[in-house]
């Protein structure tokens, strides 16, 4: 049987260059190295606003005034409690489980328990955004045999997360650093996890299901799963002789056809503006680790230009995220979940945007199998 393709468009592997949605949330300009959230350049927001302000900008459409910010913070703080369903999932899962799998399962449990159900709403977005840090911190403490801490309503999202993870309130500098990180990672056009969330939302499924799909997509090392791999890479190079052995180690990876973690991007063909900001922040937060990481970055970029000439491969957002998040006391396997605790703002904003102006997302495929096969009954095959 032949599949007829309506309005055939060229097949773009990985949907590169295909416009899959209309959005007023964020714009990624790959050749200019520019990222904007609702008109604001990310460089103007990164160190100047809190995560809550960024979330308000994405969800509501403008930066909040003081009264709006106070109201949103109060709503987020009021949702800082683990549901019984999520807690029992956390207790039941093995301590060795990957935190991203734990997060996916706990958000799913909230959906199944009816905590998040029906058509997507802003209140549901607030609930899931407020709860993700709690789920993560609870699992981090449970797997270490520590008792769970009560969330602190007096702390913002960034400080409360570090308090719950580390057992003590962060310094002002640490809180500022995490806020900047959370602001910069909150949205990024039609990235793979956001696309996954929008596809699920477009079927009129619920917000929990959409967020669960997004978590699954973010987990992969070609997307949000990279920063812990960057950490592993830096540690392996350190163990293999440090700076002296670095070029050989990196060359070996490229000779074997492997990718170098923390480099390359589907859209950016120049410096990723978030990587630029994160580099400066990592240098301040952790000068020693930064020194080694920047040497490896320089060597990797030189080799990528040699092995992949003309491909314009630059350092991506994940590279210095690894150094920065490590300096905040977060374990490597919590780097990607921390990314999720920020990107959930973008996912939920996109889910609401999709729901408000929906058409089911249903692309076509290029069939490459045989056109006509003769059926043979089971007994004669
Ligand atoms: N190391 C080695 N080679 C690379 C790298 C890299 N980090 N990145 C791209 N390339 C190569 C590709 O293999 C391809 O080679 P080819 O032309 O010989 O086939 C060429 O450069 C061009 O690749 P692109 O089309 O630019 O890359 P694509 O859009 O397919 O993939 C991706 C982008 C997945 C991010 C890729 O760069 C990669 O695997 N990077 C490493 C993993 C990583 O850091 N992921 C985090 C991304 S940031 C984020 O999602 C938040």
């Amino acid at each position: 049987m032949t599949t007829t393709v309506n309005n055939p468009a060229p097949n773009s592997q990985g949907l590169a260059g295909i416009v899959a949605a209309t959005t007023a949330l964020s714009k990624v300009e790959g050749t200019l190295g520019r990222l904007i959230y609702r008109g604001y350049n990310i460089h103007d927001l990164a160190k100047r606003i809190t995560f809550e302000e960024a979330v308000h900008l994405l969800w509501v459409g403008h930066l909040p005034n003081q009264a709006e910010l106070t109201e949103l913070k109060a709503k987020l703080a009021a949702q800082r409690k683990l549901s019984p369903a999520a807690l029992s999932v956390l207790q039941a899962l093995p301590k060795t489980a990957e935190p991203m799998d734990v997060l996916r399962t706990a958000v799913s449990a909230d959906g199944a328990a009816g905590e998040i159900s029906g058509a997507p709403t802003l209140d549901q977005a607030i609930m899931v955004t407020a709860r993700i840090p709690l789920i993560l911190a609870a699992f981090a403490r449970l797997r270490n045999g520590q008792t769970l801490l009560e969330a602190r309503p007096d702390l913002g999202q960034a400080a409360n997360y570090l308090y719950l993870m580390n057992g003590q309130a962060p310094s002002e500098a640490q809180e500022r650093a995490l806020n900047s990180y959370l602001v910069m990672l909150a949205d990024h056009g039609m990235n793979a996890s956001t696309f996954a969330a929008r596809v699920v939302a477009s079927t009129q499924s619920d917000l929990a299901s959409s967020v669960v799909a997004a978590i699954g997509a973010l987990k992969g090392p070609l997307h949000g799963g990279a920063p812990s791999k960057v950490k592993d890479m830096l540690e392996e190079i350190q163990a293999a002789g440090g700076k002296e052995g670095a070029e050989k180690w990196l060359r070996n990876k490229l000779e074997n056809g492997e990718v170098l973690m923390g480099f390359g991007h589907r859209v950016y063909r120049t410096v990723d503006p978030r990587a630029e900001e994160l580099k400066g922040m990592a240098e301040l937060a952790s000068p020693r680790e930064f020194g080694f990481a920047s040497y490896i970055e320089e060597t990797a970029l030189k080799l990528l230009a040699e092995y992949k000439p003309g491909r314009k491969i630059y350092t991506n957002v994940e590279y210095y995220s690894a150094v920065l998040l490590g300096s905040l006391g977060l374990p490597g396997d919590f780097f990607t979940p921390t990314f999720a605790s920020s990107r959930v703002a973008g996912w939920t904003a996109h889910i609401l945007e999709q729901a408000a102006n929906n058409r089911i997302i249903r692309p076509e495929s290029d069939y490459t199998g045989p056109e006509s096969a003769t059926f043979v009954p089971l007994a004669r095959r």
Side-chain angles (χ1 to χ4, degrees), residues 13 16 185 188 191-192 218 220-227 229-230 253-254 257-269 272 274 304 307-309 311-314 316-319 339 343:
Q13 209 189 5
L185 277 280
H188 203 242
N191 60 88
L218 186 73
L222 299 190
H223 186 16
K229 308 272 184 223
V230 170
K253 288 274 162 195
L254 291 169
E258 292 179 49
V259 290
L260 303 182
M261 300 317 274
F263 299 92
H265 198 272
R266 167 58 60 81
V267 183
Y268 290 118
R269 289 293 174 253
D272 177 337
R274 304 164 302 169
L304 284 166
Y307 280 82
K308 302 283 172 183
R311 311 302 204 287
K312 298 194 173 165
I313 302 174
Y314 291 81
N316 66 40
V317 67
E318 305 287 29
Y319 191 78
F339 183 175
R343 186 56 60 85

